[in-house]
Amino acid sequence: MKVAIFPSCIVDTVFPEAGAAAIRLLERLGLDIDFPLEQTCCGQMHLNTGYETRAKKLAARHLTNFTPYDWVVGISTSCTTAVREFYPQLLGPTRAAVGGTGKFIELSEFLLDVLGVTELQGTFAKKVTFHTSCHSLRGIHLGDRPQRLLGMLSGIQLVPLPKSDSCCGFGGTFSIKNSAISTVMMEEKLANVYWTGAEVLTAADSSCLMNLSGGIQAAKKPLTVMHYAEILEIATRQTQGKLSNFSGAK
Amino acid sequence: MSTDSGRPEGPNEGIPRANTWLLRTEHRDQQRSPVSFKSRSTREIRNLQMRKNISHATSTIREKRKKVVSEVENWEELRTRAAQIKQHTLSNLDFYLEEYERNVTEAGGQVHWARDATEARQIALELVRESGAQSVIKVKSMVTEEIGLNDFLVENGIEPTETDLAELICQLAGDESSHILVPAIHRNRVEIRDIFEATFAKKGTLEAEPSKIAEAARQHLREKFLESKVAITGGNFLVAETGSVAIVESEGNGRMCLTLPNNVISIVGIEKLIPTMEDLEVFLTLLPRSSTGERMNPYTTIWTGRPPAQLELGKETPFNEKSYHIILLDNGRTRVLSDEIGKQALSCIRCSACLNVCPVYERVGGHSYESVYPGPIGAILTPQLVGDPLAGELAFASTLCGACYEVCPVKINIPEILIHLRSIHSDHKRDTVLGNIERGSFGVVGIVMGNTNLFNIATASVSRILKYGGPVLNRVGKYLPPINGWIESRTLPDAPKETLRDAYRKGTLDALLKK
């Protein structure tokens, strides 16, 4: 099974720790993970802003870069959504399917549905709240997969985030084009995050995390923001022996 | 599909647009100025009372909707069926429109065709004048708002009275409606009491209680119902096989308007057509649950043609001649129909579920959209009806969160249409300096992203800029467009040790991991 990681431009550029964590975590589960260095951007930003022709070129290029792999594991739900849900419209359903959009998968889907992970040996003794990104919810329909994985760790206290499924206000260029609205949405989201009393805010989408951590830093709140892959990696770093039970690659 | 380097308007060039009365922008030199969502919403969002009113109302409806939708086991099937019926009808619109006209005529009604708002207003005015009436009563209708009918009637000496409670509130207050279903959603009960006391009710007589307010309106409207010769209605559905119009409402005012006055004029968009009564069943299940969160709406009136004249007991001559007219309106709809992606918007049944779940609408309210059609549906309908130059900005009034698509009872893929309209807009922006700058930047970024070597350099540069320039930018960035929008409320991300690709290449991934 040849597995590649598709971390997204944001992770690659400003949150590389999330990508490194995902790679190490998967390696600990016994997999070889490639980071194909030809990968650039999936084209989502161009598509969403109205530059369809450029987006098409980037999309075609993106698929070609992952041709040799059986699975392409993403850690940013909006980017995996762009490939899996928007490419068929952008490139045409046939071209998208032949190009392999079906093998793009989010980390929690890969761990639970492909590897069949049922338990994880690891400890993370912190109070954590989870922001459900719009694309994880309505794009690729992740459901509660990331929370299920986090729930396998011992010591973790997962506190529910009120209105977890409401948008954080990022929306790509929306955050700049309509910054006043974006700011209000972000601030209302963060008010709920603070209300939970969590020490760690996590999510399955690096773009939401960039938005929310920017707001938290500007408000000077003592809250750690990390991708859930980082939590899984930190929790399992010291684990001796068998890290997980899983049925193996399907 | 239009492309950012291809045709500016797609295949619908040459087909007339809607009149711009549906826009609520300023007039400049006898021309409508374009919608300016950004500046209007930036102003509206500071109105905390409005935000509180809307957030309270939409979250209540949201919860009700969720509950009654979950009761319907085959909800998804119904949505799919509804989308199919609408798309089938729209694909065969000429056929069903002719069938509808035939059946209305057979039932004694008269069908009028209006290419645009100007024609529809003129036909309506002439019909009112023929009846000799000085005033008309109205059932809530989006289409009459779209064509600016009330103002036109007033200009021509006819007094219209809205009979839907919320529409009446807006009319009395001189407000523009801010929600499709609950037009006075931006007003709370105290404000409404004050509006009534400032108009028809005596000062100091009204309690700010919903039941007291409704009772006062009922008394006020009762006289209007009894004395009016003409009612003007919209229509939720037109049934082709019977020539009927179906009107769905909650207050009984629609029933009164259709049954009491002798002359009824319906003005309805051509996209409201469905083939059969059986199809109506699908929509009558979907609509109330999606809009008001009710299992069934209190009043559904199905009206077919001209009712027989009433005879006085024991006499042969009718004392009460009735008439029924329907004006079928295009006003840009054929143009929307010619756009393969955009035409889905014509399936809309105006339930407003998309408004109630939209995080943007909830914060900025309906007025920010500067159109009769606000919220997500307005963001895809308005630019298509009046054209991109006037309303293209609305396609950007969304984070593409997808909540609207999820609740839409006729499965309109609103995010897909928004993206499509954005690409039409980016073609038009070439006319402006800022548009050219954005276009140029996205072009450059596109080239960089399409080339691994350039991308390597760019990503490394970003992390270097963040490292050396981040602290400075966080301080002065609020004066630097376009990043000022970000810096106002957020810091830039911290500079990473190195990019993921560099760390992977050098084998230094572990150094990136958090402690």
Side-chain angles (χ1 to χ4, degrees):
Chain A
M1 181 166 67
K2 275 181 75 88
V3 183
I5 188 136
F6 161 37
S8 82
C9 323
I10 290 181
V11 166
D12 193 353
T13 317
V14 295
F15 290 133
E17 58 271 30
I23 294 172
R24 287 293 183 253
L25 177 74
L26 289 164
E27 285 171 349
R28 266 174 229 157
L29 290 165
L31 295 155
D32 284 329
I33 305 297
D34 276 356
F35 178 118
L37 287 163
E38 306 74 35
Q39 68 175 305
T40 51
C41 171
C42 67
Q44 186 190 192
M45 184 177 77
H46 281 83
L47 179 65
N48 287 357
T49 316
Y51 299 97
E52 201 182 282
T53 310
R54 289 247 176 252
K56 234 179 234 174
K57 284 183 196 148
L58 289 169
R61 185 179 187 282
H62 192 66
L63 289 179
T64 313
N65 287 335
F66 292 99
T67 308
Y69 298 94
D70 301 311
W71 292 108
V72 184
V73 178
I75 56 168
S76 215
T77 51
S78 73
C79 307
T80 302
T81 299
V83 176
R84 221 158 70 185
E85 307 296 319
F86 300 163
Y87 277 16
Q89 178 66 42
L90 184 66
L91 300 171
T94 315
R95 208 174 146 202
V98 172
T101 52
K103 64 192 185 188
F104 281 72
I105 193 163
E106 199 275 338
L107 177 67
S108 66
E109 294 175 305
F110 184 69
L111 294 176
L112 293 169
D113 306 347
V114 177
L115 297 184
V117 167
T118 51
E119 60 173 291
L120 279 171
Q121 301 298 329
T123 307
F124 193 79
K126 286 208 166 119
K127 203 169 172 183
V128 177
T129 197
F130 189 90
H131 159 65
T132 315
S133 76
C134 298
H135 284 122
S136 75
L137 190 69
R138 291 176 284 262
I140 49 174
H141 307 283
L142 271 193
D144 64 348
R145 285 182 182 82
Q147 292 100 311
R148 260 154 57 203
L149 286 164
L150 290 171
M152 291 175 189
L153 304 176
S154 56
I156 193 166
Q157 192 190 349
L158 270 173
V159 281
L161 175 63
K163 294 195 189 166
S164 163
D165 57 353
S166 72
C167 178
C168 73
F170 178 62
T173 40
F174 177 86
S175 61
I176 289 174
K177 281 181 192 274
N178 286 294
S179 54
I181 309 168
S182 172
T183 293
V184 169
M185 288 166 73
M186 178 201 70
E187 285 172 349
E188 288 182 16
K189 167 68 67 181
L190 285 180
N192 281 338
V193 170
Y194 302 145
W195 186 86
T196 63
E199 302 156 82
V200 177
L201 167 66
T202 190
D205 201 304
S206 48
S207 16
C208 308
L209 289 177
M210 180 170 77
N211 183 39
L212 295 172
S213 71
I216 289 169
Q217 279 195 20
K220 300 192 169 58
K221 295 276 182 181
L223 199 82
T224 310
V225 177
M226 53 172 99
H227 193 281
Y228 81 93
E230 291 181 79
I231 297 181
L232 297 179
E233 187 277 324
I234 290 170
T236 56
R237 203 180 284 171
Q238 304 304 329
T239 306
Q240 303 291 322
K242 204 173 172 198
L243 183 69
S244 170
N245 260 351
F246 57 86
S247 44
K250 283 173 192 167
Chain B
M1 193 184 284
S2 117
T3 64
D4 53 331
S5 60
R7 298 179 301 266
E9 281 282 357
N12 53 14
E13 215 154 355
I15 308 175
R17 288 186 180 136
N19 300 84
T20 56
W21 286 298
L22 72 106
L23 293 182
R24 284 152 171 183
T25 54
E26 309 262 301
H27 268 101
R28 272 196 318 232
D29 314 325
Q30 287 154 2
Q31 292 266 312
R32 281 276 175 189
S33 59
V35 169
S36 171
F37 177 80
K38 180 171 179 149
S39 59
R40 181 72 186 261
S41 64
T42 306
R43 213 163 58 233
E44 294 283 340
I45 206 166
R46 294 193 205 115
N47 184 346
L48 297 181
Q49 183 64 54
M50 176 277 291
R51 262 166 64 193
K52 210 174 137 198
N53 294 351
I54 292 194
S55 172
H56 174 74
T58 54
S59 60
T60 312
I61 304 178
R62 262 199 314 263
E63 288 310 308
K64 279 174 74 181
R65 181 202 161 270
K66 205 186 257 176
K67 186 169 166 283
V68 297
V69 163
S70 69
E71 295 168 354
V72 184
E73 266 177 43
N74 59 345
W75 183 257
E76 287 308 312
E77 264 172 70
L78 282 170
R79 286 179 78 208
T80 306
R81 184 66 195 143
Q84 285 168 347
I85 294 168
K86 279 289 187 179
Q87 287 307 313
H88 165 79
T89 317
L90 289 169
S91 306
N92 300 279
L93 200 53
D94 50 344
F95 174 83
Y96 286 112
L97 280 170
E98 282 174 18
E99 185 186 4
Y100 180 76
E101 181 184 34
R102 231 173 14 250
N103 289 324
V104 172
T105 313
E106 224 161 79
Q110 205 179 327
V111 175
H112 308 261
W113 300 91
R115 262 171 298 206
D116 58 18
T118 316
E119 287 187 4
R121 295 171 8 149
Q122 200 55 44
I123 296 167
L125 177 67
E126 276 159 27
L127 291 172
V128 175
R129 281 187 174 151
E130 266 171 38
S131 73
Q134 300 296 309
S135 64
V136 297
I137 48 174
K138 284 188 68 216
V139 196
K140 176 179 166 44
S141 141
M142 297 304 296
V143 147
T144 58
E145 276 196 63
E146 176 185 321
I147 64 175
L149 185 66
N150 284 6
D151 287 347
F152 180 72
L153 290 176
V154 171
E155 281 161 28
N156 287 282
I158 311 280
E159 183 204 338
T161 300
E162 294 290 348
T163 62
D164 173 273
L165 178 55
E167 281 297 344
L168 178 69
I169 294 164
C170 286
Q171 193 184 23
L172 293 174
D175 283 2
E176 289 160 346
S177 69
S178 62
H179 189 283
I180 290 175
L181 185 80
V182 259
I185 197 170
H186 55 288
R187 296 284 195 179
N188 64 24
R189 60 175 83 166
V190 177
E191 294 174 289
I192 293 166
R193 191 264 318 270
D194 295 346
I195 292 165
F196 280 12
E197 288 194 343
T199 48
F200 66 82
K202 258 202 209 117
K203 192 135 188 70
T205 56
L206 256 183
E207 281 173 59
E209 283 305 312
S211 61
K212 297 277 162 43
I213 292 171
E215 181 57 28
R218 191 176 289 129
Q219 298 292 348
H220 172 69
L221 287 172
R222 187 57 49 117
E223 285 167 35
K224 304 272 181 189
F225 285 128
L226 290 171
E227 71 188 25
S228 288
K229 287 188 196 161
V230 182
I232 297 181
T233 82
N236 294 90
F237 304 98
L238 302 176
V239 183
E241 72 170 350
T242 57
S244 311
V245 60
I247 290 177
V248 174
E249 39 106 10
S250 302
E251 298 167 17
N253 61 312
R255 179 73 53 85
M256 302 266 243
C257 284
L258 281 161
T259 50
L260 283 174
N262 287 339
N263 308 288
V264 174
I265 304 165
S266 299
I267 309 176
V268 186
I270 50 174
E271 84 284 15
K272 294 284 161 182
L273 213 56
I274 53 172
T276 66
M277 276 291 169
E278 213 181 326
D279 297 324
L280 185 61
E281 185 193 339
V282 174
F283 293 98
L284 290 184
T285 310
L286 291 166
L287 179 55
R289 287 178 200 258
S290 299
S291 60
T292 47
E294 294 169 303
R295 296 183 182 91
M296 196 181 168
N297 52 288
Y299 295 90
T300 300
T301 308
I302 300 174
W303 199 254
T304 311
R306 181 181 58 176
Q310 285 167 300
L311 295 178
E312 235 172 308
L313 265 182
K315 291 188 180 168
E316 293 284 314
T317 38
F319 75 98
N320 200 352
E321 282 289 351
K322 305 234 173 193
S323 77
Y324 181 75
H325 294 269
I326 177 155
I327 303 168
L328 293 172
L329 176 74
D330 186 320
N331 208 31
R333 285 159 177 74
T334 306
R335 185 186 172 86
V336 181
L337 196 57
S338 67
D339 185 312
E340 266 313 303
I341 295 173
K343 73 173 183 189
Q344 291 176 73
L346 293 180
S347 300
C348 175
I349 57 173
R350 310 283 187 265
C351 72
S352 66
C354 61
L355 276 67
N356 298 332
V357 298
C358 177
V360 173
Y361 175 86
E362 189 179 339
R363 270 78 177 198
V364 303
H367 295 149
S368 297
Y369 296 80
E370 300 192 315
S371 162
V372 164
Y373 299 108
I377 185 65
I380 58 169
L381 205 51
T382 310
Q384 295 201 80
L385 287 175
V386 300
D388 177 79
L390 276 172
E393 198 197 324
L394 288 174
F396 295 84
S398 165
T399 61
L400 304 176
C401 83
C404 47
Y405 180 29
E406 191 178 49
V407 297
C408 177
V410 289
K411 274 192 162 170
I412 301 171
N413 191 336
I414 296 177
E416 181 189 9
I417 303 174
L418 287 169
I419 290 175
H420 173 59
L421 296 176
R422 287 176 184 190
S423 101
I424 291 174
H425 187 69
S426 74
D427 286 333
H428 278 228
K429 268 191 321 207
R430 257 181 274 210
D431 306 343
T432 67
V433 177
L434 275 178
N436 272 323
I437 292 173
E438 188 196 286
R439 194 181 180 76
S441 317
F442 270 82
V444 172
V445 172
I447 291 167
V448 171
M449 284 176 163
N451 179 302
T452 308
N453 290 329
L454 292 175
F455 191 75
N456 289 342
I457 297 168
T459 49
S461 314
V462 169
S463 69
R464 223 159 292 141
I465 290 170
L466 287 173
K467 188 170 176 188
Y468 299 108
V472 179
L473 283 173
N474 279 332
R475 261 178 285 124
V476 303
K478 51 178 166 264
Y479 310 106
L480 284 178
I483 66 158
N484 54 350
W486 183 271
I487 303 284
E488 275 162 24
S489 54
R490 290 160 280 224
T491 58
L492 293 169
D494 290 335
K497 291 195 184 76
E498 55 188 338
T499 62
L500 187 65
R501 56 184 55 236
D502 283 345
Y504 182 83
R505 203 165 22 213
K506 293 188 218 154
T508 52
L509 282 181
D510 288 323
L512 290 174
L513 297 174
K514 278 209 182 90
K515 292 288 161 311

